[in-house]
Amino acid sequence: MNTAVARPRLFWLWAALIVIAGAALRLYDLGGPSLWVDEVYTGLRARVSLADTLMLVRNTSNQTPFYYMVLHAYPTGSDFALRSFSALLGVAGIAGMMWVVARLYRSPWLALGAGLLLALNPYHIWLSRTARVYAMIFVLALIASYAFLRLLAGERRRTHWIVFVLASMAGYVSHYFMAGLALAQYIVFGFLLRRKRALFRRWIVAQTIAVIPLLLYMLHASKPAPGRGWIPEPALQDLLLTLSAMTIGTGDSIPLLAVPGLLAALAGLGAGLVYAARHYRSEPDLWYWFWLVVGTLALVFTISWLVHPLYVDRYFVIILPALIVLMLRGWRWLAGPRRPFLVAGAVALVALTGAAITLDVFRAGDHYKEDWRGVAEYVAADFQPGDGVLADYPAEVIAFKRYFQQAELPPYAWYDADDPLTISLFAEPVTRVWVMTRTAADEGAHQNEIALARASNGPVLQKYTPPWVRARRDRVLAEKQFNGLAVFLVDTREEADQLASAE
């Protein structure tokens, strides 16, 4: 894919416009949506001491601490500030993607195409707008992959080794799925070992050094959780839905208007995979991108199907650089040297499809994934002495308190897994209970980081009504559905009187 082409006169202008467009989509109304529960955990881990951060991360058992440790050196006082770290990393990822493609393939046109595909990619936009680790591991995966491909091409400078080790090391203590890079690199060496035996031995040493911090962390952490209860077992169609989500930004369904963009993306990706397989000896860089996609998806799908579910779209952010490069290579191969306008057309179609999906989400307000601010204002408008708050998890109470303007939080509790109908969880009798529940509780692998259930003025659907409320349906005084959340006001005066008389 070494396609040396003269740099267009306005290259830097186009590159700047692409970065600006990507920044606008990642920063627009960034502080408007209230934090959703996972971001609440992020904010908590960023505020406490480093020792407490490590303890909190260890207690979750399926996460690694580097992202939260870095946040200690970054201002996180507001919702915007907390998210801006990921947003800025997302913008850096756009610039880095163009730089990497330009350096590896000597083509400014391909670099601009890669930057545009990433800048307008809804999958990357939502991850960059969320106070989670994913924008960081995209950047780390991109840096580690670039350094590895430089080494594979014979440029075995000390700088490349240092960058490779440090990026891999940071990646491994940021997310377990970064192991997909090592898997792809190992497979590539399996095909090229005769020519790369000395490099392979040095790679083993480098990987051994890079994994040391993760091993030290795991020695003091709880056993990593192989799966989460909310993750469903994947089916074969999930592979298509994942590729659709990562290329044009769809979720569990694909809108009709997005089909042309999806077909163009899949055609480019499929052709890129075939081309990489046919030219793995002459272009081992594409062979690496091939296995980063195929190896990671195949391994995670197999483990999720046979052992424990691990299959969630956002976990695959490490393969996004590979998807973009392979799409571009596939389109170039299909178009041939005399029809470069077809490549430009394919890039434009996929990028504009992603932009349209993103703008539609903003228009509908679906980027307000969990509207805790709206819930807090709703409760505060009708709050009375003797009211209590009931939620599923402690983090939900923390999220509610963040936006509840009263000085003191009312009596609160969360459901007892052994007895979900009891009221005795409260430290004192309560005459009314505000019950908060997440309508994203049935989220699947392809949630795409946006609201799963929109706000509604009608009755809350039965599937979003918790058992505690169903048992008291005749005493529900009010109910309202917000983006990602539902609230019920339940009269518990009779139960409170019974508890008081029993004492």
Side-chain angles (χ1 to χ4, degrees):
M1 198 169 166
N2 292 318
T3 53
V5 179
R7 179 178 294 169
R9 287 188 304 167
L10 301 179
F11 173 80
W12 292 112
L13 175 62
W14 287 115
L17 291 175
I18 288 171
V19 172
I20 291 171
L25 292 172
R26 285 156 181 79
L27 294 171
Y28 167 75
D29 197 27
L30 190 62
S34 51
L35 302 182
W36 58 288
V37 166
D38 284 10
E39 292 179 299
V40 170
Y41 281 122
T42 298
L44 178 62
R45 292 163 183 164
R47 288 197 308 271
V48 298
S49 67
L50 279 174
D52 288 339
T53 296
L54 289 173
M55 179 193 69
L56 290 171
V57 176
R58 284 200 305 266
N59 289 343
T60 61
S61 75
N62 70 323
Q63 296 185 20
T64 46
F66 185 66
Y67 167 73
Y68 305 105
M69 295 172 67
V70 173
L71 276 180
H72 276 267
Y74 189 85
T76 58
S78 66
D79 294 356
F80 178 89
L82 184 63
R83 291 187 175 121
S84 65
F85 182 66
S86 291
L88 293 176
L89 284 172
V91 176
I94 298 169
M97 189 74 206
M98 288 191 285
W99 186 85
V100 165
V101 171
R103 296 278 295 180
L104 288 177
Y105 302 112
R106 306 298 180 186
S107 171
W109 290 110
L110 287 179
L112 292 174
L116 186 64
L117 288 171
L118 186 61
L120 303 186
N121 182 296
Y123 172 85
H124 190 260
I125 290 169
W126 305 133
L127 294 180
S128 300
R129 292 176 56 86
T130 305
R132 303 292 306 282
V133 68
Y134 304 106
M136 171 183 278
I137 60 175
F138 173 88
V139 172
L140 293 175
L142 183 65
I143 295 172
S145 295
Y146 171 77
F148 172 75
L149 292 178
R150 281 303 195 190
L151 294 169
L152 193 66
E155 299 183 23
R156 299 168 195 176
R157 303 173 188 169
R158 181 177 299 177
T159 302
H160 291 149
W161 280 113
I162 293 174
V163 170
F164 174 70
V165 170
L166 292 179
S168 299
M169 183 183 294
Y172 296 152
V173 288
S174 296
H175 201 279
Y176 288 116
F177 269 47
M178 281 288 291
L181 273 68
L183 171 66
Q185 294 161 14
Y186 182 80
I187 294 174
V188 168
F189 279 122
F191 283 89
L192 305 175
L193 190 58
R194 287 187 178 181
R195 291 187 290 159
K196 307 290 184 180
R197 193 178 301 274
L199 177 62
F200 177 68
R201 288 194 293 266
R202 293 186 179 183
W203 177 84
I204 290 290
V205 174
Q207 288 287 8
T208 301
I209 296 171
V211 81
I212 288 174
L214 177 62
L215 294 177
L216 293 175
Y217 167 75
M218 292 176 66
L219 286 175
H220 294 86
S222 304
K223 182 180 179 181
R228 303 292 298 277
W230 58 267
I231 302 178
E233 184 178 293
L236 285 175
Q237 64 265 26
D238 286 313
L239 293 170
L240 174 62
L241 291 173
T242 293
L243 295 177
S244 177
M246 296 187 70
T247 52
I248 62 172
T250 55
D252 283 317
S253 62
I254 302 173
L256 184 61
L257 292 177
V259 170
L262 176 60
L263 292 177
L266 294 179
L269 177 60
L273 290 170
V274 172
Y275 182 91
R278 293 178 60 177
H279 298 82
Y280 76 90
R281 290 187 183 276
S282 59
E283 299 188 44
D285 54 314
L286 294 179
W287 198 223
Y288 166 71
W289 298 126
F290 175 99
W291 282 111
L292 186 54
V293 173
V294 174
T296 303
L297 286 174
L299 179 63
V300 175
F301 183 90
T302 302
I303 293 174
S304 299
W305 195 41
L306 297 178
V307 187
H308 291 283
L310 294 169
Y311 194 102
V312 180
D313 283 349
R314 61 178 177 260
Y315 296 172
F316 293 112
V317 68
I318 65 163
I319 74 172
L320 186 56
L323 289 177
I324 291 173
V325 171
L326 289 170
M327 280 195 298
L328 289 169
R329 175 66 265 186
W331 288 329
R332 285 186 63 86
W333 188 37
L334 293 175
R338 297 184 179 180
R339 293 175 291 181
F341 62 90
L342 292 180
V343 179
V347 170
L349 178 58
V350 173
L352 291 176
T353 300
I357 290 175
T358 301
L359 294 175
D360 186 62
V361 170
F362 285 141
R363 178 196 60 78
D366 284 347
H367 61 300
Y368 283 61
K369 179 174 180 176
E370 290 180 0
D371 190 10
W372 287 106
R373 183 179 286 107
V375 168
E377 292 173 353
Y378 177 71
V379 172
D382 191 26
F383 184 79
Q384 299 177 9
D387 286 359
V389 172
L390 185 64
D392 284 301
Y393 304 103
E396 295 177 1
V397 176
I398 298 173
F400 173 75
K401 173 58 178 173
R402 185 180 182 93
Y403 304 101
F404 191 63
Q405 296 301 314
Q406 297 197 20
E408 293 187 8
L409 186 66
Y412 61 88
W414 38 89
Y415 303 120
D416 185 344
D418 298 324
D419 187 5
L421 304 182
T422 185
I423 191 177
S424 59
L425 296 170
F426 291 93
E428 58 187 80
V430 290
T431 55
R432 300 193 314 173
V433 175
W434 295 92
V435 183
M436 303 175 297
T437 186
R438 299 170 69 195
T439 55
D442 60 346
E443 64 190 39
H446 312 287
Q447 58 172 308
N448 214 24
E449 304 307 314
I450 60 177
L452 299 179
R454 293 181 177 179
S456 172
N457 292 323
V460 178
L461 296 177
Q462 180 76 1
K463 66 177 181 178
Y464 297 140
T465 305
W468 198 93
V469 175
R470 292 178 200 167
R472 299 164 176 82
R473 181 43 100 172
D474 59 329
R475 285 179 277 156
V476 174
L477 303 175
E479 59 187 283
K480 187 173 177 61
Q481 186 168 317
F482 299 81
N483 268 23
L485 298 166
V487 179
F488 304 85
L489 177 59
V490 181
D491 184 355
T492 57
R493 189 178 304 276
E494 181 179 339
E495 292 168 281
D497 291 342
Q498 292 175 357
L499 285 174
S501 61
E503 293 177 355

